């Protein structure tokens, strides 16, 4: 299995050493630890010195400080195990950062993805009306693909993104009791499907109430298999191959 999106820099993991040490025993072939500001991006890049650990770097919409020139983040994209730019995007739900400022930093970073020829990890929350037109505009220019991380919108929107050639990644919320995402899960073709935990957040059933960990990606894979009418091994194989292709993991 690969956890295609987690945050090993969270203080809960105390540096991430235990998670990394136990990866093989936990059935994890690789994991991608995702940065969201200059500090966590640099830390993710450092963690990627470990076997099987890969990093992304970027400025999350909730972490924007106006005037930031991204100088602490973008140069990290030259490191070999920094495999993507992200997570970046728009979030109109949780944060007070003005929408125009969010859009400015989002598009600055999409521009950087072109310059550095890296795939992009997208965070999108309560902003579908702005996100889709922006991404439609950029889809043809992006040199190395894009993933909608922790996808939780409709099947219709999933189909729009699939038409643009984007990957769709599902996380723990698909396992929640009142999840109504079966049709979105089925709207994604095999070759664009990814699984993630977004650890330490969004702990899947049956571990609600605990902190999440990358090995819990198995419960997401299990649910994807159930909704797609196939078995765990098939979805494990597909999501592993896709994560390797998307992130350029050997
Ligand atoms: Zn995340």
């Amino acid at each position: 299995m690969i956890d295609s999106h987690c945050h090993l820099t969270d203080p809960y993991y105390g540096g991430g050493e235990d998670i990394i040490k136990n990866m093989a025993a936990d059935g994890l072939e690789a994991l991608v630890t995702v940065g969201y500001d200059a500090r966590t991006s640099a830390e993710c890049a450092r963690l990627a010195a470990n076997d099987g650990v890969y990093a992304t770097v970027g400025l999350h919409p909730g972490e924007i400080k106006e005037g930031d020139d991204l100088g602490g983040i973008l140069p990290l994209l030259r490191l070999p195990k920094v495999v993507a730019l992200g997570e970046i995007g728009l979030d109109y739900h949780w944060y007070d950062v003005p929408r125009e400022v969010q859009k400015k930093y989002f598009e600055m970073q999409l521009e950087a993805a072109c310059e550095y020829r890296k795939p992009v990890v997208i965070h999108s929350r309560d902003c579908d009306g702005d996100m889709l037109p922006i991404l439609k505009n950029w889809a043809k220019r992006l040199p190395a693909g894009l993933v909608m991380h922790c996808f939780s919108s409709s099947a219709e929107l999933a189909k729009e993104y699939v038409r643009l050639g984007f990957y769709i990644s599902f996380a723990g919320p698909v396992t929640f009791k009142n999840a109504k995402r079966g049709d979105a899960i089925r709207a994604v073709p095999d070759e664009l499907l990814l699984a993630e935990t977004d650890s330490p957040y969004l702990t899947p059933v049956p571990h609600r109430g605990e902190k999440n960990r990358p090995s819990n990606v198995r419960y997401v894979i299990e649910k994807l298999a159930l909704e797609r009418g196939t078995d765990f091994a098939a979805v494990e194989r597909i999501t592993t191959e896709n994560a390797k292709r998307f992130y350029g993991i050997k």
Side-chain angles (χ1 to χ4, degrees):
M1 306 184 294
I2 291 181
D3 183 0
S4 69
H5 185 126
C6 62
H7 299 280
L8 282 196
T9 55
D10 189 275
Y12 173 72
Y13 297 125
E17 218 173 274
D18 276 356
I19 298 272
I20 293 169
K21 202 173 61 204
N22 290 316
M23 278 173 62
D26 284 341
L28 281 174
E29 182 178 345
L31 59 80
V32 180
T33 181
V34 170
Y36 50 84
D37 61 8
R39 181 185 60 82
T40 54
S41 293
E43 210 177 317
C44 285
R46 265 196 306 278
L47 284 167
N50 292 285
D51 280 349
V53 178
Y54 298 83
T56 79
V57 300
L59 185 62
H60 184 285
E63 304 294 336
I64 294 168
K65 310 274 179 294
E66 261 191 283
D68 187 339
D69 64 358
L70 304 174
I73 293 175
L74 299 182
L76 298 168
L77 288 165
R78 298 202 196 285
L79 300 172
K81 287 182 79 189
V82 173
V83 290
L85 182 53
E87 55 184 289
I88 64 172
L90 303 173
D91 190 321
Y92 299 165
H93 183 79
W94 291 110
Y95 303 98
D96 297 331
V97 180
R99 294 178 179 198
E100 288 317 309
V101 176
Q102 291 195 31
K103 286 188 214 169
K104 183 179 97 182
Y105 275 88
F106 183 31
E107 299 213 66
M108 272 165 67
Q109 293 181 89
L110 291 172
E111 187 69 55
C114 297
E115 189 187 327
Y116 288 85
R117 309 199 63 75
K118 292 286 183 182
V120 181
V121 180
I122 299 286
H123 172 100
S124 175
R125 184 78 199 255
D126 285 1
C127 62
D128 290 341
D130 281 348
M131 183 58 81
L132 183 61
I134 290 175
L135 290 182
K136 269 188 172 156
N137 215 10
W138 281 84
K140 285 211 178 64
R141 286 188 57 202
L142 293 172
L146 182 151
V147 61
M148 300 305 296
H149 128 75
C150 192
F151 187 80
S152 53
S153 297
S154 65
E156 286 61 43
L157 191 60
K159 286 177 195 162
E160 293 265 15
Y161 287 134
V162 163
R163 268 196 287 276
L164 295 170
F166 299 160
Y167 288 72
I168 308 281
S169 182
F170 293 98
V174 297
T175 68
F176 296 175
K177 257 196 207 72
N178 51 4
K180 292 191 211 70
R181 297 183 178 89
D183 53 348
I185 290 170
R186 287 182 290 275
V188 181
D190 281 354
E191 65 274 17
L192 294 175
L193 183 70
L194 288 174
E196 62 169 284
T197 61
D198 206 16
S199 298
Y201 316 109
L202 304 175
T203 308
V205 174
H207 290 285
R208 299 296 298 149
E210 300 168 22
K211 286 273 192 184
N212 204 357
R213 46 187 297 123
S215 56
N216 284 341
V217 72
R218 75 175 64 254
Y219 301 106
V220 177
I221 293 173
E222 225 167 66
K223 181 66 178 208
L224 296 180
L226 188 73
E227 292 289 356
R228 293 167 76 87
T230 180
D231 57 20
F232 180 91
V235 174
E236 182 193 12
R237 182 179 51 76
I238 288 164
T239 53
T240 299
E241 279 173 7
N242 290 347
K244 287 182 180 174
R245 183 186 331 108
F246 178 74
Y247 285 118
I249 294 173
K250 304 266 153 39

